[in-house]
Amino acid sequence: YTITGQNEGWTSLETSPTQWFYVDLGEETCFDTVKLYPRHNGTDNGYGIPLDLEILISNDAQTWTPVLELKDIERIVSGAHTFKFESQ
């Protein structure tokens, strides 16, 4: 979700080793890209992006299929992390 203003985006709790969230697109949709933006608030720039990431998809929020898994993601200060995978 996005908050308008200087600080935009969502950041996980960095004190917890495992975080997850899901996005309901409202209907079956094909896609092959997920973009995540790091924190950009002047003091913690680049934080909030996971170091390890797994993207799973589902048509019913019950059964999940992994489409991408990454380890040791490089932290960037600004701009989007773009994660591409085979279209689903």
Side-chain angles (χ1 to χ4, degrees), residues 70-82:
L70 298 170
K71 301 279 186 193
D72 300 321
I73 297 170
E74 183 178 341
R75 179 170 284 146
I76 62 172
V77 175
S78 64
H81 279 278
T82 301

Side-chain angles (χ1 to χ4, degrees), residues 14-65:
E14 293 187 47
T15 58
S16 175
T18 302
Q19 295 287 311
W20 68 270
F21 69 94
Y22 79 91
V23 177
D24 185 342
L25 300 176
E27 63 185 10
E28 193 169 316
T29 305
C30 289
F31 62 96
D32 64 357
T33 305
V34 170
K35 291 185 178 187
L36 298 177
Y37 292 83
R39 185 180 302 166
H40 185 72
N41 64 0
T43 57
D44 297 317
N45 293 347
Y47 289 89
I49 295 294
L51 299 176
D52 299 332
L53 171 76
E54 185 175 16
I55 297 175
L56 301 97
I57 61 169
S58 175
N59 287 327
D60 60 9
Q62 301 289 321
T63 304
W64 297 90
T65 302

Side-chain angles (χ1 to χ4, degrees), residues 3-9 40-43:
I3 302 169
T4 57
Q6 181 181 0
N7 302 322
E8 297 183 347
H40 185 72
N41 64 0
T43 57

